């Protein structure tokens, strides 16, 4: 299991909206073969060497996890944290995500744990962007 990638899965409302947001807003590269709609199926992105993001239409998401109800976009049980290069990297990524349709959750600011900001993707999933710690 050491070499197995971690795959984070989110329910989504619309494949095209999510594809456009994650490619344009976050600059992620999609994985897999392109389907008839021009979007890879399954819709996955490589976040880094060990983590992938899979986006599953809401109707199928609950089925995949044993017919569980999918949480509404206003509920968050988890959020994804990513690291940017310094404060300007946080500011830039938050702005780029907003330009692509993200909703600002918290404006970038200094917090006790570092310089951070957060946004939601078009389906309400929360992403926190943290500045890389300066070298010691």
């Amino acid at each position: 299991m050491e070499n197995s990638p971690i795959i984070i899965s989110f329910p989504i409302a619309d494949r095209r909206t999510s594809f456009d947001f994650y490619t344009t807003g976050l600059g992620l590269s999609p994985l897999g073969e392109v389907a008839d709609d021009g979007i890879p199926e399954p819709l996955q992105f490589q976040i880094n060497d060990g983590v992938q993001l899979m986006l599953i239409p809401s109707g199928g998401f609950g089925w995949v996890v044993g017919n569980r109800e999918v949480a509404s976009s206003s509920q968050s049980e988890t959020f994804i944290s990513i690291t940017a290069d310094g404060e300007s990297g946080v500011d830039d990524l938050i702005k780029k995500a907003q330009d692509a349709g993200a909703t600002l959750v918290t404006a970038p600011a200094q917090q006790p744990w570092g310089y951070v900001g957060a946004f939601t993707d078009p389906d309400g999933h929360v992403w926190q962007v943290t500045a890389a710690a300066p070298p010691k």
Side-chain angles (χ1 to χ4, degrees), residues 22-109:
Y22 282 97
T23 55
T24 303
L26 296 186
L28 297 178
S29 297
L31 302 171
E33 297 295 318
V34 176
D36 292 340
D37 63 359
I39 300 170
E41 176 59 39
L43 181 52
Q44 295 184 73
F45 296 93
Q46 192 75 44
I47 294 178
N48 64 27
D49 288 340
V51 179
Q52 296 173 6
L53 175 65
M54 183 184 303
L55 304 173
I56 304 171
S58 296
F61 189 87
W63 174 80
V64 168
V65 293
N67 293 319
R68 293 177 55 109
E69 187 175 333
V70 175
S72 74
S73 66
S74 65
Q75 296 175 318
S76 297
E77 293 179 345
T78 188
F79 61 89
I80 303 294
S81 290
I82 53 178
T83 304
D85 287 333
E87 292 182 10
S88 64
V90 172
D91 295 339
D92 293 345
L93 186 54
I94 297 272
K95 171 91 171 80
K96 187 175 178 183
Q98 284 183 282
D99 290 347
T103 300
L104 186 66
V105 174
T106 56

Side-chain angles (χ1 to χ4, degrees), residues 100-134:
T103 300
L104 186 66
V105 174
T106 56
Q110 188 63 46
Q111 301 294 337
W113 58 91
Y115 187 81
V116 300
F119 62 87
T120 61
D121 71 7
D123 291 287
H125 305 294
V126 179
W127 288 78
Q128 180 180 31
V129 185
T130 305

